[in-house]
Amino acid sequence: MLFFGALALLLVVPESGWGAESAATQLDMTNSAVGYFALGIFVLAYALVMAEEFTHLRKSKPVILAAGIIWTLVAWAYPGTDPHAVEQALRHNILEYAELMLFLLAAMTYINAMEERLIFESLRSWLVRKGFTYRQLFWLTGILAFFISPVADNLTTALLMCAVVLAVGADNPRFVSLACINIVVAANAGGAFSPFGDITTLMVWQKGIVDFFTFFLLFVPSVVNFVVPAAFMHFAVPRVSPAPSDEVVFMKRGARVIMLLFFFTICTAVSFHNFLHLPPMVGMMTGLAYLQFFGYYLNKTHYKYEVPGTWSEKKARERIGDVVPFEIFHHVARAEWDTLLFFYGVVLCVGGLGFLGYLAVVAQVMYIDWGPTFANTMVGILSAIVDNIPVMFAVLTMNPDMSLGQWLLVTLTAGVGGSMLSIGSAAGVALMGQARGKYTFFSHLRWTPAIGLGYAASILAHLWINSSQF
């Protein structure tokens, strides 16, 4: 029973209490009625999260409600003498969540702005009209997903590449299925070696465990994780060419500048963290101001592009479709608020569970009884069943005493482990909806052994190449 209780908690414990370990060690209510009830509330809430595809209940709703109930229980049952201990623990959890939320809000706003300026659509149309064969497109979309996801999030990258696949191979379900599997694996693998590639790597970087450039030690293991299953799937891809297309999509005015500002924003966040020892969130919000001022310029000069003049053909094409002035707060509003609020619920839920003492139980089972290498390998396997974010939050909250090599290992496994099942990552779930009927849970499951082989090979590659970090 203790094992299953620990396993259930592992699925949900977040970063919430990065400073709450001391409070958790002073309180042990894991065997009390309040502790069991709080754990049951969260398990029920997370079951509703996992059933979102069938119930169509947004995942943020059950965890936000559960967070309120759990902290009510904690405050009501707290046996300590300090009446402000619960309040201080909760405030600390909220502060840690706020840093993550503001960082992601800035990044999402940039991605939405680039999408509105048709940057991704332009890339898609270019790929479609080049007349590649199915096998060439299989590798090209995979490679692009691998290298775009370290900058953009893996969900946006996967959706973009899937749009290319559907545009050229809609009449060939076998190609669409294989290409989507490849894209999911590539996007998750590409996000594992960059702090900006996945929320799990972002959390590790923000906590200061791994510095920015050290993440790139995972580049080769990430490549192995992508290439091994792709090599097996290559021979199953049809050896034919799709019908050519002449579709052309031009980027809107200011698109290239926004891409450049996003690059400067990343540099600002890295510099703030590495040189000024400020939270990366401050750098990202400063970078958001870059976009706000450029949006102001686009608005003030918009009328000039509405009046025909003696512009070159290139400039004329840039203003095609640019009939609505750029509005920064529209892009802020289009951020994935359900995801951001979901993080709030998870962070506070497990902050409460950690305060009740469950963190010590999980830490004992995983990192003392199992050992760090096996535990970190299991983290990746668990992330194929549930979302990798709560799993990675669990490890960060427990904060086990591990070498840098082990922290890199758990970053790798949490990032790529979700590729083994289509439901193991946001990219897989999104593509099942986008390519409905062609890319399914069972079509992905047929290639799980090859993906699992790539998972094992990437771990071995890391243990070998980065042995000096252990």
Side-chain angles (χ1 to χ4, degrees):
M1 188 67 183
L2 178 63
F3 170 78
F4 286 106
L7 185 62
L9 183 61
L10 174 63
L11 303 183
V12 300
V13 180
E15 176 190 37
S16 60
W18 283 354
E21 290 87 345
S22 60
T25 59
Q26 296 170 9
L27 187 64
D28 184 5
M29 299 185 67
T30 55
N31 294 317
S32 67
V34 169
Y36 287 137
F37 186 64
L39 185 60
I41 288 292
F42 188 84
V43 171
L44 175 61
Y46 206 80
L48 291 173
V49 170
M50 296 177 67
E52 179 185 12
E53 182 181 358
F54 308 103
T55 63
H56 304 292
L57 178 70
R58 292 296 186 93
K59 60 181 178 290
S60 62
K61 297 178 181 180
V63 291
I64 290 177
L65 178 60
I69 295 174
I70 289 172
W71 276 101
T72 300
L73 291 170
V74 170
W76 173 67
Y78 179 63
T81 57
D82 183 2
H84 299 293
V86 175
E87 178 188 1
Q88 291 171 356
L90 179 57
R91 286 184 182 276
H92 182 85
N93 295 337
I94 294 174
L95 176 62
E96 299 293 350
Y97 163 74
E99 288 189 17
L100 177 64
M101 180 267 217
L102 291 174
F103 187 104
L104 292 173
L105 182 62
M108 289 175 177
T109 302
Y110 262 103
I111 296 299
N112 290 338
M114 289 191 285
E115 183 180 11
E116 188 269 339
R117 295 285 102 178
L118 301 180
I119 292 172
F120 300 129
E121 274 295 298
S122 178
L123 175 61
R124 182 195 62 79
S125 69
W126 180 84
L127 289 170
V128 169
R129 68 176 184 268
K130 283 299 178 180
F132 297 112
T133 66
Y134 281 137
R135 285 192 172 180
Q136 288 175 326
L137 278 170
F138 173 83
W139 282 102
L140 190 57
T141 52
I143 291 170
L144 285 172
F146 183 84
F147 284 103
I148 293 175
S149 61
V151 180
D153 65 282
N154 53 4
L155 176 59
T156 300
T157 302
L159 290 172
L160 167 64
M161 292 298 107
C162 184
V164 175
V165 167
L166 290 174
V168 299
D171 298 329
N172 196 313
R174 183 177 180 82
F175 164 70
V176 172
S177 175
L178 291 167
C180 285
I181 297 169
N182 190 45
I183 288 167
V184 170
V185 174
N188 289 337
F193 70 88
S194 165
F196 291 86
D198 194 270
I199 295 174
T200 56
T201 56
L202 171 61
M203 291 187 294
V204 175
W205 179 47
Q206 283 203 135
K207 191 176 181 183
I209 296 173
V210 180
D211 65 49
F212 184 83
F213 296 102
T214 304
F215 280 101
F216 294 98
L217 293 174
L218 294 175
F219 176 77
V220 173
S222 297
V223 170
V224 171
N225 183 268
F226 157 54
V227 170
V228 168
F232 283 99
M233 289 186 285
H234 167 84
F235 299 100
V237 178
R239 300 181 62 180
V240 295
S241 298
S245 171
D246 57 357
E247 179 189 15
V248 180
V249 175
F250 297 102
M251 293 186 292
K252 294 182 182 180
R253 183 173 64 100
R256 293 173 181 82
V257 175
I258 290 176
M259 286 190 285
L260 187 63
L261 291 177
F262 189 40
F263 172 75
F264 286 145
T265 296
I266 293 173
C267 292
T268 302
V270 174
S271 299
F272 273 37
H273 188 62
N274 287 356
F275 304 119
L276 301 178
H277 307 292
L278 295 173
M281 170 272 297
V282 180
M284 289 299 292
M285 292 302 291
T286 302
L288 182 60
Y290 305 162
L291 183 60
Q292 288 179 302
F293 275 98
F294 183 64
Y296 176 78
Y297 163 78
L298 289 177
N299 275 331
K300 288 298 182 181
T301 59
H302 181 72
Y303 70 95
K304 296 180 181 178
Y305 290 84
E306 294 177 348
V307 181
T310 59
W311 293 93
S312 66
E313 183 180 357
K314 179 181 177 181
K315 289 294 183 183
R317 288 172 175 173
E318 282 187 354
R319 71 174 187 260
I320 291 176
D322 190 21
V323 295
V324 179
F326 183 91
E327 176 51 63
I328 181 64
F329 290 106
H330 288 172
H331 304 304
V332 173
R334 289 180 56 240
E336 297 173 33
W337 284 101
D338 181 53
T339 299
L340 294 174
L341 293 175
F342 168 73
F343 293 159
Y344 165 84
V346 171
V347 166
L348 264 65
C349 277
V350 183
L353 294 176
F355 196 82
L356 292 171
Y358 283 101
L359 284 177
V361 176
V362 181
Q364 174 67 34
V365 171
M366 288 188 63
Y367 288 96
I368 303 299
D369 298 345
W370 293 357
T373 300
F374 181 69
N376 291 334
T377 302
M378 287 301 299
V379 164
I381 296 174
L382 286 170
S383 68
I385 303 171
V386 297
D387 192 86
N388 61 352
I389 296 166
V391 175
M392 192 62 184
F393 272 146
V395 179
L396 288 170
T397 307
M398 291 182 288
N399 196 20
D401 184 14
M402 298 192 298
S403 64
L404 179 60
Q406 290 290 353
W407 279 110
L408 288 172
L409 175 61
V410 73
T411 301
L412 174 69
T413 57
V416 304
S419 300
M420 287 186 278
L421 295 176
S422 61
I423 60 172
S425 66
V429 173
L431 263 58
M432 282 194 295
Q434 191 176 15
R436 189 178 302 275
K438 298 181 177 68
Y439 170 60
T440 65
F441 175 84
F442 292 103
S443 68
H444 191 110
L445 188 64
R446 282 195 288 269
W447 291 97
T448 293
I451 300 170
L453 184 61
Y455 177 74
S458 65
I459 293 174
L460 293 175
H462 171 61
L463 294 175
W464 175 46
I465 295 172
N466 299 319
S467 58
S468 62
Q469 304 298 322
F470 288 86

